[in-house]
Amino acid sequence: MTHPRTSPATPGADTAADPLTDHAADTLTDHATGTGPRPAAGPSDPAPGTTSPGTTTLAAATPAELRDHVTAGLDDPARGWLRRALDEAAAHPGTHGPISVWELRIAEAGRRCGPEHADAARVLILHAARADAEALSRVYYQGTGAERRAVLYALPHLVPGPEGLPLVEDALRTNDTRLLTAAVGPYAARHLDAHQWRHAVLKCLFTGVPVDAVADLDHRAEGDTELARMLTDYAAERTAAGRTVPADLHRVLTLTDPPATPSAPAADHG
């Protein structure tokens, strides 16, 4: 089923939030462990070394972990706003009138919580509202890029079946690296078929999304000879065009058949 892309229709929508949050942190910093994947830097990201490199993805974090992280970083007015937004969403989880109150709060999150915490706040609101696949689709197709990311991050916990796949498929058709990063999380790992998943991996390589973002990569790539063929063909095309091959490609190729994989050349800088 196809859905039209529409402009945000919510009164008081956070129209200024999306350009800000397009390059804000999609992940939670794990200062204790210093481990985990780091998404590719965007134009507004801090310079390397200015923040902790350790991260835990929004899609993998539990609501309790997200709330602890967000409330610790917000000032008192923002913390109070988020508490009220979550209470409203829990008390009125369904749609009331043309739009539900929690959808309005999702639109406000960037302005209220700031770009650093907006994604997590939106995911928390979706959790509190117990949004089902239909509600998530509405938010996704009517939302900004930031709101779409939040929906993708929330999918693994809110939609147990494949009903959310059209949203993942839509995100994978874009070249928005932050949307792609959100799309290849645990929900995609569970529900994309082999053909779709292989193309998602190639899309990450093509757009520069680090393969660390691909959930369950080691397991799904293991022994996948068709993925190995696609990677080899892609590497040959880049070599023939005089371009270096991304180091991430060789990493994935090693996962498909470790004994047969040649050593990787220098990382791609072009």
Side-chain angles (χ1 to χ4, degrees):
M1 182 171 66
T2 58
H3 300 261
R5 287 192 60 172
T6 58
S7 300
T10 57
D14 184 11
T15 54
D18 194 35
L20 290 173
T21 55
D22 275 348
H23 301 295
D26 259 342
T27 54
L28 301 181
T29 302
D30 184 354
H31 296 284
T33 64
T35 59
R38 179 175 178 83
S44 300
D45 282 330
T50 60
T51 59
S52 169
T55 57
T56 301
T57 64
L58 284 170
T62 66
E65 290 169 339
L66 286 179
R67 187 160 186 170
D68 287 347
H69 174 81
V70 173
T71 55
L74 294 175
D75 59 20
D76 287 341
R79 193 179 300 117
W81 176 87
L82 180 59
R83 183 179 63 252
R84 292 189 297 273
L86 295 178
D87 289 345
E88 285 177 334
H92 304 287
T95 301
H96 295 264
I99 190 166
S100 57
V101 66
W102 57 265
E103 290 179 69
L104 297 176
R105 303 300 171 248
I106 285 175
E108 295 174 7
R111 186 169 69 253
R112 298 287 190 168
C113 298
E116 181 181 357
H117 300 292
D119 282 355
R122 291 184 177 105
V123 172
L124 283 171
I125 293 169
L126 290 169
H127 277 288
R130 303 186 293 281
D132 60 13
E134 181 179 354
L136 291 170
S137 295
R138 183 174 63 250
V139 173
Y140 180 92
Y141 287 112
Q142 295 182 353
T144 64
E147 291 159 23
R148 291 180 178 209
R149 287 198 306 272
V151 169
L152 294 169
Y153 286 131
L155 280 175
H157 297 293
L158 293 174
V159 184
E163 296 84 359
L165 270 179
L167 309 184
V168 173
E169 292 165 352
D170 181 83
L172 290 174
R173 286 191 289 270
T174 75
N175 287 320
D176 181 335
T177 57
R178 294 179 64 77
L179 206 59
L180 291 171
T181 299
V184 293
Y187 190 83
R190 289 204 299 263
H191 296 293
L192 283 180
D193 64 30
H195 175 76
Q196 292 173 310
W197 185 81
R198 292 179 189 122
H199 281 277
V201 173
L202 282 176
K203 188 66 174 275
C204 288
L205 294 170
F206 179 75
T207 57
V209 171
V211 296
D212 278 337
V214 181
D216 206 19
L217 175 66
D218 292 9
H219 174 73
R220 291 208 60 168
E222 183 178 4
D224 191 335
T225 56
E226 176 60 16
L227 177 60
R229 182 195 65 76
M230 294 168 69
L231 293 170
T232 302
D233 288 349
Y234 179 55
E237 290 173 5
R238 288 187 65 89
T239 301
R243 305 193 69 189
T244 54
V245 178
D248 267 359
L249 184 147
H250 289 272
R251 175 184 166 190
V252 180
L253 193 57
T254 299
L255 294 173
T256 65
D257 186 16
T261 304
S263 57
D268 180 15
H269 297 291

